[in-house]
């Protein structure tokens, strides 16, 4: 995808803010510091830098994630802070029909993302499960996550993509278990190839080929210093489990905007060498004047095009009054 240029008025972000229990980067010195302490140190300076309308020229590929329904108001605030509209927006997916605003709500958000041409970054959320030594629990969760994503976007839209990237949310308080990930990645990928997905009408209309299926690509979100998670992932990948990408948390002691450029240390030596780091969460739980939370993310320029091709721009929906 071509580099995005700044625009003269803010457009688009909104939707996630996951209160992660992440910590300062160990490599920054001083050990691990609580997120609450970091916020107290940094938010006053962030607010001073991110006034609406102060868009700057940047070539970084940036986005946000939130645990709330996306709105134009949050988009405008995030655009002003980033210096450009977000290219992507992370949202949670758990199971089909989940009405919690923490999860993606297609009837409220699809038109927003379609109109603003923002890609949705799917995040699979069951953080209290990922540390369980339970292959079958992981498998069931992978099936449910896939079903939620298919219900939100429609199977025919997803089948037109080469892959659909899905990040499993892993927090430091509950590091990844190798058997859980084996089951989850298998359930996610098998769901997309299920014979229960009927593309016969699309095939007859020649909008999809006879071999149509949805290729879900498993990936992992975690703190860059979470050695237990990356060790488990390495073992799973070595045993044959698919993992296409990693999204890491890596914050500075005094985070500020702009959040680029990309730095080599965002790829931790603790991580499996075969799994590319495509995203870095640089600022966590920034709160605006209405106490709405935002996370700010930077794409690895070496993998930007690959990443964006695997995120989803929803079709517009007709929503009855």
């Amino acid at each position: 995808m071509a580099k995005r240029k700044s625009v003269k008025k803010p457009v688009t972000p909104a939707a996630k803010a996951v209160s992660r229990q992440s910590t300062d980067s160990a490599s920054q010195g001083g050990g691990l510091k609580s997120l609450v302490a970091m916020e107290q140190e940094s938010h006053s300076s962030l607010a001073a830098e991110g006034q609406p309308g102060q868009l700057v020229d940047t070539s970084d590929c940036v986005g946000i994630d939130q645990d709330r329904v996306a709105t134009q108001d949050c988009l405008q605030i995030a655009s002003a802070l980033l210096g450009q509209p977000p290219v992507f927006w992370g949202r949670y997916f758990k199971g089909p029909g989940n009405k919690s605003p923490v999860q993606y709500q297609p009837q409220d958000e699809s038109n927003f993302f379609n109109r603003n041409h923002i890609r949705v970054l799917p995040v699979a959320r069951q953080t209290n499960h990922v540390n369980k030594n339970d292959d079958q629990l992981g498998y069931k969760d992978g099936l449910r996550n896939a079903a939620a994503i298919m219900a939100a976007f429609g199977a025919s839209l997803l089948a037109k993509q080469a892959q659909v990237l899905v990040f499993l949310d892993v927090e430091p308080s509950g590091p990844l278990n190798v058997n859980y990930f084996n089951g989850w990645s298998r359930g996610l990928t098998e769901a997309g190839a299920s014979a229960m997905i009927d593309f016969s009408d699309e095939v007859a209309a020649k909008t999809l080929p006879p071999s149509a299926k949805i290729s879900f690509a498993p990936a992992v979100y975690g703190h860059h210093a979470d050695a237990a998670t990356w060790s488990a992932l390495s073992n799973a990948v070595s045993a044959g489990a698919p993992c296409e990408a990693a999204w890491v948390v890596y914050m500075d002691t005094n985070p500020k905007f702009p959040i680029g450029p990309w730095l080599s240390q965002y790829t931790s030596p603790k991580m499996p060498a075969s799994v590319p780091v495509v995203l870095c969460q640089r600022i966590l739980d920034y709160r605006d004047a209405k106490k709405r939370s935002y996370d700010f993310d930077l794409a690895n320029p070496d993998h930007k095009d690959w990443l964006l091709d695997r995120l989803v721009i929803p079709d517009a929906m007709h929503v009855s009054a």
Side-chain angles (χ1 to χ4, degrees):
M1 178 176 176
K3 294 181 177 179
R4 290 176 72 96
K5 297 180 179 178
S6 62
V7 296
K8 295 199 175 178
K9 67 176 184 178
V11 259
T12 133
K16 176 188 149 196
V18 7
S19 295
R20 309 201 198 280
Q21 298 172 355
S22 302
T23 53
D24 250 346
S25 309
S27 62
Q28 298 295 319
L32 297 178
K33 183 185 296 182
S34 72
L35 177 59
V36 172
M38 168 178 281
E39 289 175 357
Q40 291 173 342
E41 292 176 359
S42 64
H43 281 184
S44 59
S45 62
L46 290 178
E49 297 195 29
Q51 297 301 322
Q54 295 179 348
L55 298 185
V56 298
D57 210 3
T58 174
S59 60
D60 291 327
C61 179
V62 293
I64 72 167
D65 57 280
Q66 284 189 302
D67 62 357
R68 58 182 296 120
V69 171
T71 66
Q72 197 71 29
D73 186 32
C74 285
L75 170 60
Q76 187 172 6
I77 290 170
S79 297
L81 288 164
L82 288 168
Q84 66 181 88
V87 181
F88 55 88
W89 197 304
R91 289 293 279 125
Y92 284 135
F93 295 82
K94 192 166 187 177
N98 190 314
K99 297 299 183 183
S100 168
V102 172
Q103 321 298 328
Y104 180 78
Q105 299 299 318
Q107 72 280 3
D108 298 322
E109 300 183 71
S110 292
N111 288 341
F112 168 83
F113 287 120
N114 178 276
R115 181 175 66 251
N116 290 294
H117 203 71
I118 298 173
R119 291 162 171 79
V120 177
L121 186 157
V123 183
R125 189 191 199 198
Q126 48 271 335
T127 52
N128 59 333
H129 288 181
V130 300
N131 64 341
K132 308 299 184 188
N133 186 25
D134 194 331
D135 178 280
Q136 285 304 303
L137 176 63
Y139 183 77
K140 182 179 76 172
D141 285 345
L143 291 175
R144 291 183 69 240
N145 295 154
I149 295 168
M150 289 187 285
F153 299 118
S156 59
L157 173 65
L158 299 176
K160 295 174 184 177
Q161 297 194 190
Q163 287 182 309
V164 179
L165 196 59
V166 183
F167 286 92
L168 178 64
D169 183 8
V170 181
E171 303 295 339
S173 57
L176 185 65
N177 179 276
V178 61
N179 288 325
Y180 179 89
F181 184 80
N182 286 338
W184 178 79
S185 60
R186 189 174 72 256
L188 185 77
T189 54
E190 287 184 7
S194 171
M196 296 179 66
I197 304 174
D198 182 9
F199 290 124
S200 57
D201 291 342
E202 289 84 354
V203 171
K206 297 183 178 180
T207 58
L208 287 176
S211 59
K213 67 175 184 177
I214 301 170
S215 296
F216 286 111
V220 171
Y221 163 96
H223 196 283
H224 90 284
D226 185 359
T229 287
W230 304 123
S231 176
L233 182 62
S234 293
N235 291 336
V237 170
S238 295
C243 184
E244 299 290 338
W247 172 13
V248 302
V249 181
Y250 196 110
M251 297 179 294
D252 297 319
T253 303
N254 295 300
K256 62 181 180 179
F257 296 100
I259 61 175
W262 185 271
L263 301 177
S264 60
Q265 60 259 41
Y266 301 157
T267 302
S268 170
K270 299 178 176 66
M271 303 176 65
S274 62
V275 178
V277 178
V278 300
L279 283 169
C280 185
Q281 194 170 74
R282 297 290 291 127
I283 294 177
L284 195 69
D285 284 346
Y286 171 85
R287 295 189 182 275
D288 65 19
K290 296 181 179 179
K291 306 301 182 184
R292 296 172 298 194
S293 184
Y294 307 71
D295 300 335
F296 294 91
D297 307 289
L298 177 66
N300 184 338
D302 291 341
H303 302 286
K304 180 190 71 171
D305 293 337
W306 181 92
L307 169 69
L308 296 181
D309 285 346
R310 285 157 178 79
L311 307 184
V312 185
I313 297 181
D315 284 334
M317 293 179 63
H318 173 72
V319 180
S320 56

